[in-house]
Amino acid sequence: MTLITKFPPKMYNKRVRGSIKEFYNKLQEIFQQKNWKWIEPKPSRNDHEQWNLATEWHHPDADIKIISYFPDGAINSIKVTYKRLPGFVRPRLSKSALRFTHSFEIKLPRSYPANLSAIKLYSLDYLYHPRMSSSRGMKMEACIHIPGEIDRILIEFIYQILMKPDKVRPPSQFSADSGLQPSAMRWYEHNLKSIVKFLEEQWDSTHEKNVITSTKTKRSKVVMLD
């Protein structure tokens, strides 16, 4: 039997907060690639003391909150709420079929960051999505396998909601099942390219672009006098 070493609560919590910071680093990289205007999360990543004391982090695209602890004070679960992110609630290629705010819970094993396969992921809102539960309860387990730490999970959720093919893994392209909503998978496979393009366009439309100003210097003519 393999003995899994548990980090002391202080070290464990620092690891969790460090992974949350890495998520915001990766989110900023996405903004830079898309030339979107970036706003620093609160508390700022540069304020190390406040960051390591925080129980909530706020950003226009993703709020994160610690919602439960183990008896020894180690973080047990966190909630993330994405904003300005389009996801389908019904099978129609129209803005009225979208919701732009989505919440998820990430429940950690006390052995974190070891035993990553024991992390539980829950959707707290209904989505018309092949890999999300079709039930409309308060807490629905997401049928998503993400072999990574918190930062990777938080980024992967974004691309799941945007229904990227390598994340949804439709059976027509991958060796995979039809997920928790087979009807959503059939709709997705039939309209895959249109769905991905539509969601990407809607995502882009919710973000302000950086304004790049270029200054042209005029060369003055030199007049040679005899």
Side-chain angles (χ1 to χ4, degrees):
M1 184 176 180
T2 304
L3 181 65
I4 299 176
T5 303
K6 295 180 181 178
F7 281 11
K10 186 174 180 180
M11 187 184 299
Y12 171 106
N13 290 346
K14 188 173 182 180
R15 181 68 174 252
V16 170
R17 288 181 169 94
S19 195
I20 291 171
K21 181 181 285 188
E22 182 58 25
F23 160 67
Y24 285 114
N25 292 342
K26 291 177 179 177
L27 186 62
Q28 184 178 20
E29 289 176 5
I30 293 173
F31 271 62
Q32 290 170 342
Q33 292 166 4
K34 293 182 172 295
N35 193 36
W36 292 343
K37 184 178 179 181
W38 173 256
I39 296 175
E40 184 65 14
K42 294 180 181 179
S44 168
R45 290 171 294 172
N46 298 320
D47 191 332
H48 303 297
E49 183 178 359
Q50 286 299 312
W51 189 276
N52 288 320
L53 291 173
T55 59
E56 296 185 21
W57 296 264
H58 298 279
H59 183 270
D61 277 59
D63 290 341
I64 299 173
K65 181 180 182 180
I66 299 170
I67 57 175
S68 69
Y69 296 84
F70 288 103
D72 65 355
I75 296 166
N76 181 207
S77 58
I78 66 172
K79 176 182 176 182
V80 56
T81 299
Y82 297 100
K83 300 170 290 183
R84 305 197 297 184
L85 180 63
F88 285 104
V89 293
R90 60 184 66 88
R92 190 163 64 244
L93 284 169
S94 68
K95 193 170 181 177
S96 63
L98 300 175
R99 189 177 64 242
F100 288 81
T101 302
H102 320 274
S103 294
F104 296 88
E105 180 182 339
I106 301 172
K107 194 172 182 65
L108 304 171
R110 181 59 185 85
S111 55
Y112 182 85
N115 197 21
L116 296 177
S117 62
I119 295 174
K120 300 293 185 183
L121 307 177
Y122 300 96
S123 174
L124 305 180
D125 304 296
Y126 172 75
L127 279 167
Y128 189 75
H129 188 292
R131 300 296 171 193
M132 304 293 176
S133 174
S134 60
S135 66
R136 297 173 185 261
M138 295 297 292
K139 188 172 175 178
M140 302 153 284
E141 190 162 359
C143 182
I144 302 171
H145 176 61
I146 305 173
E149 291 194 46
I150 292 168
D151 56 297
R152 181 172 176 184
I153 292 170
L154 292 169
I155 288 293
E156 292 269 329
F157 268 141
I158 293 174
Y159 291 117
Q160 277 287 348
I161 296 170
L162 292 171
M163 301 182 86
K164 299 298 185 181
D166 60 323
K167 308 303 178 187
V168 177
R169 297 179 64 82
S172 60
Q173 296 185 18
F174 298 88
S175 178
D177 58 29
S178 293
L180 298 177
Q181 293 193 64
S183 64
M185 184 66 85
R186 290 192 295 272
W187 179 70
Y188 176 67
E189 288 187 308
H190 186 69
N191 302 280
L192 194 154
K193 290 183 179 179
S194 298
I195 288 170
V196 173
K197 182 174 182 289
F198 177 71
L199 288 173
E200 190 70 33
E201 290 172 347
Q202 291 297 316
W203 192 32
D204 187 68
S205 71
T206 64
H207 292 84
E208 182 182 352
K209 294 282 188 178
N210 280 322
V211 178
I212 301 175
T213 56
S214 59
T215 56
K216 295 182 179 179
T217 56
K218 295 181 179 180
R219 293 182 180 179
S220 57
K221 294 182 179 179
V222 178
V223 179
M224 300 299 292
L225 299 177
D226 292 333

